[in-house]
Amino acid sequence: LEIMGGGLERFKTRNNVYTAYELGTLTAGGNYETYTSIDKAVFNFTPATNAYANPNDPNNYTAKENITAFYAQGKYNIGRLQLLGGVRNELTLQEYHSQLTVYAAGRDGKITYSDLLPSMHFKYALSEKQNVRLSYYKAISRPNYFEFVPTEISGDVFTEAGNYKIKHTKADNYDLRYEMFSQGNNQLLAGAFYKKIYDPIEYGFVPVTVSSSNVIPQNYGTATNYGFEFVVT
């Protein structure tokens, strides 16, 4: 019997500063300069207020993500069968403070959540060079900064924005695989997998006004992902 355990602490911070401006060659009276040479051209901010930072720009923010994790794992052999199982607990803290106007929802945000992630793996040796594996594990996927901070990035066609109400994704994963190692580095792998995904994050159009919509990350119910793989080396 082999028993293992461990822990992890990870701290991430981000300071985001965003600015966009155009430089033009208009004079104070609104007319274009007479062109002489590029080194003598005087460029001005258009409009002039773009020379200063926007105090209400939601793309200016500070954010952090702290993760504390612990795991315990055990491995035991019964003849040709190997049992490998364990559990992992992850505690997540995500927090941000933006320059969004105080009159808008989601100017500041903080969320904590804890996930208990079990796993079990079975490996049966058909021979010295052939194995069959069956496994289950629970996993999560966290939203990134640009998904949970209410940023707004204007594009040519639409605006892409963040969603401070976004939830992290959870999944149940099942895998079955056959392995054969004939000689040297030769190997043949054939398997199938199935994933049940809860609150998957996908981008979709969300109406902002009667005539416009933003592209915003959303949680779209439950999804499934399944398939097979075949590898020969």
Side-chain angles (χ1 to χ4, degrees), residues 139-178:
I140 64 171
S141 177
R142 301 177 182 85
N144 59 45
Y145 291 133
F146 287 103
E147 291 174 336
F148 73 82
V149 179
T151 56
E152 292 184 1
I153 307 297
S154 298
D156 294 334
V157 180
F158 51 78
T159 296
E160 185 175 321
N163 180 4
Y164 68 94
K165 295 182 179 180
I166 200 74
K167 300 177 182 178
H168 70 295
T169 302
K170 304 177 183 179
D172 292 311
N173 305 272
Y174 304 87
D175 290 271
L176 175 65
R177 188 170 76 174
Y178 166 79

Side-chain angles (χ1 to χ4, degrees), residues 63-201:
K64 67 179 180 180
E65 180 183 85
N66 299 340
I67 298 173
T68 302
F70 302 95
Y71 83 95
Q73 174 183 294
K75 181 168 68 174
Y76 188 67
N77 294 310
I78 307 174
R80 294 188 176 188
L81 178 64
Q82 181 186 90
L83 306 177
L84 177 65
V87 63
R88 178 183 180 90
N89 186 77
E90 295 196 6
L91 177 64
T92 303
L93 163 66
Q94 292 177 319
E95 183 178 356
Y96 71 90
H97 302 279
S98 74
Q99 289 186 355
L100 190 68
T101 172
V102 294
Y103 301 104
R107 183 177 190 270
D108 303 284
K110 180 179 179 180
I111 186 173
T112 59
Y113 48 87
S114 180
D115 294 279
L116 196 63
L117 308 173
S119 66
M120 180 59 70
H121 187 95
F122 302 90
K123 184 181 77 170
Y124 186 80
L126 299 174
S127 67
E128 292 183 355
K129 298 182 178 181
Q130 297 182 80
N131 299 316
V132 174
R133 297 178 183 267
L134 176 65
S135 66
Y136 162 80
Y137 66 97
K138 192 175 188 67
I140 64 171
S141 177
R142 301 177 182 85
N144 59 45
Y145 291 133
F146 287 103
E147 291 174 336
F148 73 82
V149 179
T151 56
E152 292 184 1
I153 307 297
S154 298
D156 294 334
V157 180
F158 51 78
T159 296
E160 185 175 321
N163 180 4
Y164 68 94
K165 295 182 179 180
I166 200 74
K167 300 177 182 178
H168 70 295
T169 302
K170 304 177 183 179
D172 292 311
N173 305 272
Y174 304 87
D175 290 271
L176 175 65
R177 188 170 76 174
Y178 166 79
E179 306 172 332
M180 182 176 68
F181 308 95
S182 56
Q183 59 182 358
N185 291 327
N186 297 345
Q187 60 181 3
L188 184 151
L189 310 175
F193 61 88
Y194 177 85
K195 302 175 184 295
K196 190 79 169 182
I197 306 170
Y198 307 93
D199 292 319
I201 298 174

